[in-house]
Amino acid sequence: MVFLIGFILSGHGEFASGLYSSLKLIAGEQEDFIVINFVNGCTSEQLSQKLIEGINKLAHCDHIVVFTDIAGGTPFNEAAKLSVQHNNVSVLSGTNLPTVLEGIFNRKLDVKEFLDKVVKAGKNSFKSFNKGDF
């Protein structure tokens, strides 16, 4: 069975739109992909409303994954609250470009396999440059 996973990308400041800008440069414009910035002056209630609107726009998707920047931050917390109310919503934190790329290239997998691949990509993407390695 082929699933369709929709994406919501959110984070503090312009994190989401900045990351999406990089993603488009590498992989092009994405369908079923919503960017929600949590900018200065935006309340948690306003952010929650934007997330609800995003979830509603992606209602045709089998599952929705909300990618956030920091676990425990407002975008994560508001998305987590909504995931309790919506069985087809999952939330990830610690989002970086490799995790989102892994996600878009695997968005038709079942949800568990999708989440496992994305989390693994995040863990594997963190590297240290050591001059002695060259």
Side-chain angles (χ1 to χ4, degrees):
M1 178 178 212
V2 175
F3 289 90
L4 175 59
I5 297 175
F7 287 58
I8 296 176
L9 177 59
S10 186
H12 294 83
E14 303 292 329
F15 172 81
S17 58
L19 189 59
Y20 188 65
S21 174
S22 296
L23 176 73
K24 286 192 308 184
L25 184 65
I26 296 167
E29 192 76 39
Q30 298 297 307
E31 291 184 24
D32 301 318
F33 198 113
I34 295 172
V35 174
I36 301 172
N37 290 316
F38 180 54
V39 294
N40 192 26
C42 183
T43 67
S44 58
E45 292 81 16
Q46 290 169 325
L47 177 62
S48 181
Q49 186 57 44
K50 289 179 183 181
L51 290 167
I52 291 168
E53 291 168 8
I55 290 168
N56 289 338
K57 285 181 184 175
L58 296 174
H60 63 279
C61 296
D62 297 304
H63 202 83
I64 300 165
V65 177
V66 183
F67 289 79
T68 66
D69 53 357
I70 303 169
T74 304
F76 175 86
N77 291 343
E78 293 305 314
K81 289 178 196 175
L82 293 171
S83 74
V84 172
Q85 300 169 14
H86 300 271
N87 291 333
N88 69 330
V89 175
S90 297
V91 183
L92 294 172
S93 71
T95 301
N96 59 25
L97 187 55
T99 59
V100 179
L101 283 168
E102 187 72 26
I104 64 165
F105 295 131
N106 290 288
R107 68 189 317 173
K108 293 187 178 183
L109 295 176
D110 72 81
V111 175
K112 183 181 178 345
E113 191 175 357
F114 174 89
L115 293 171
D116 288 345
K117 278 188 168 280
V118 170
V119 169
K120 185 176 180 181
K123 290 178 181 177
N124 291 337
S125 69
F126 198 76
K127 306 286 185 203
S128 172
F129 171 75
N130 295 304
K131 294 176 190 174
D133 290 345
F134 289 91

